[in-house]
Amino acid sequence: MAETIQEISAAYKPNPVQYAYHASPALVRGMFGGSALGKSRALGVEAMLQAVEYPNNLVVIARDVLADLKKTTKVTFLNEVMPPELLACKEVEWRESDQRLIFKPNRSEIHFMGLDEHGRLGSLNCGAWFIDEAQLL
């Protein structure tokens, strides 16, 4: 499994703001700025790194409303972050029904969740949380 940003997405060249975000040693990080800055893409790359580097890791990518997450952040993740060849291999499974990506070799998962789904959020044992468009909360 990939272990670096470059191995995850050869086409991903972080801009200065994305680079600072990725390089930060802080446990809680944020990236702020205007549209088209690449915030969602950087978030997706970080989520992917957490999932492939740490076995049995539950990574959550969330947004205020699930329907908006599906139209924006998930599309960015699947089209710009997730390499198509990785998504097509048998070691990775995308489950549309429950909005999650499963990495079979290390048993990590990335779940896409709306923060409007209160029942699904309780008692999750997550290794990493990513909230896109947090200003909407």
Side-chain angles (χ1 to χ4, degrees), residues 80-94:
E80 297 179 24
V81 175
M82 185 73 181
E85 60 276 4
L86 185 57
L87 192 55
C89 83
K90 293 181 181 179
E91 294 181 341
V92 175
E93 179 182 356
W94 171 253

Side-chain angles (χ1 to χ4, degrees), residues 2-14 18-19 22-23 42 45-46 49 53 81:
E3 293 182 357
T4 67
I5 292 170
Q6 286 71 34
E7 289 175 25
I8 287 174
S9 177
Y12 181 61
K13 306 287 187 249
Q18 292 167 322
Y19 181 81
H22 294 302
V45 168
E46 282 292 322
L49 283 170
E53 285 185 10
V81 175

